[in-house]
Amino acid sequence: MRVSVHPTAEAAAESAAATIAALAARGGLRVLGVATGSSPTPVYRALARRRDELPELQFPDLTLFALDEYLGLPPGHPESYRSVVERDAAGPLGISPDRVHLPSGADPAAYDLAIARHGGVDVQILGIGRNGHIGFNEPGSSFDSRTRVVDLDPSTRLANARFFSGVDEVPSQAVTQGIGTILEARILMLFAFGAEKAEAVAAALEGPVTERVPASALRAHPDVHWVLDDAAASRLSRSGRIEP
Ligand code: F6R
């Protein structure tokens, strides 16, 4: 496990983009698992800038698998995760929409099979909820859960209300990769920025490994990189911190 702490989200994103670009240059990035929300957007922006500056760094064959998708939004809704992934990640990275996969509530199990058919996820980008969720695996989710339909925690709907006109507009259900699905990715990179994530980060990294804190499951993964800013790392003990 690596934990790197950076002065700002932008510095963290630049460092992570350099790691991902180096992997791509070595031919080790065919499938990228993408999270939505605020945390990964500086990373997608930093990767897109590198692609603009380096003609040799292009991603025409990269396939994207989203972590999750809301249920119940009309097709094309700007906050559906298909729209968000196409706008924030696929577009800036020059990836065609037919290489962007999202789970379907009608057949969640098909998603795990599709990931397997593509050879598995090389790098999975993750954020963390204030309640410790990863994907939409809310506290209590089993560590061996697979892609499935879930109810969103009221606190998650409240946190995501900022993307909608109000909390009532936030869907109450989603389909998410399971924790077991996420743990199968070869490399995990979790991004957490801001003081509001500090408690969840400390619980996941230094508290007990428990289904009450879904992100604590990552401690069993052999290649996980926690990419934090100072504020998100502020509740870690010094011994838990490894500077970049
Ligand atoms: C998004 C996702 C969620 C978010 C988490 C943090 O696809 O699966 O787990 O990563 O809710 O969201 P932000 O980054 O907006 O704070």
Side-chain angles (χ1 to χ4, degrees):
M1 177 169 74
R2 281 170 293 163
V3 181
S4 56
V5 183
H6 304 261
T8 62
E10 286 65 35
E14 279 303 332
S15 151
T19 304
I20 295 170
L23 186 70
R26 292 199 302 274
L29 185 64
R30 289 164 302 110
V31 177
L32 181 65
V34 284
T36 54
S38 308
S39 310
T41 51
V43 184
Y44 303 140
R45 274 202 296 269
L47 264 180
R49 267 197 307 277
R50 280 170 186 268
R51 168 180 173 263
D52 290 344
E53 288 160 9
L54 294 174
E56 66 276 22
L57 182 70
Q58 301 299 322
F59 305 105
D61 301 327
L62 188 60
T63 298
L64 304 184
F65 275 88
L67 259 185
D68 39 23
E69 176 61 293
Y70 289 121
L71 294 182
L73 292 179
H77 188 288
E79 293 307 326
S80 75
Y81 283 171
R82 172 163 290 280
S83 300
V84 173
V85 169
E86 288 182 1
R87 190 169 62 228
D88 290 356
L93 296 177
I95 296 164
S96 107
D98 60 9
R99 289 187 163 273
V100 178
H101 300 260
L102 286 102
S104 141
D107 191 0
Y111 203 58
D112 291 29
L113 294 173
I115 292 174
R117 258 201 321 277
H118 281 78
V121 172
D122 294 305
V123 177
Q124 176 65 57
I125 308 274
L126 296 167
I128 183 171
R130 289 174 220 184
N131 64 1
H133 73 212
I134 48 171
F136 278 137
N137 294 283
E138 303 286 19
S141 299
S142 159
F143 283 180
D144 56 14
S145 51
R146 312 300 304 176
T147 300
R148 69 201 187 289
V149 171
V150 292
D151 293 330
L152 295 181
D153 197 274
S155 69
T156 299
R157 295 183 68 221
L158 204 56
N160 287 3
R162 69 193 194 280
F163 296 114
F164 294 83
S165 49
V167 69
D168 293 342
E169 304 297 314
V170 183
S172 52
Q173 283 199 312
V175 52
T176 183
Q177 286 190 30
I179 296 178
T181 314
I182 292 169
L183 290 175
E184 285 170 3
R186 285 181 264 283
I187 299 172
L188 302 178
M189 294 183 105
L190 186 144
F191 297 89
F193 304 129
E196 69 273 15
K197 298 294 174 69
E199 204 172 314
V201 165
L205 279 171
E206 297 183 346
V209 173
T210 164
E211 290 175 357
R212 287 195 308 280
V213 182
S216 67
L218 305 193
R219 303 224 310 258
H221 191 279
D223 196 353
V224 53
H225 190 167
W226 291 72
V227 186
L228 312 174
D229 68 359
D230 279 323
S234 60
R235 301 280 295 269
L236 292 175
S237 63
R238 287 296 301 175
S239 61
R241 294 183 55 170
I242 303 165
E243 303 299 335

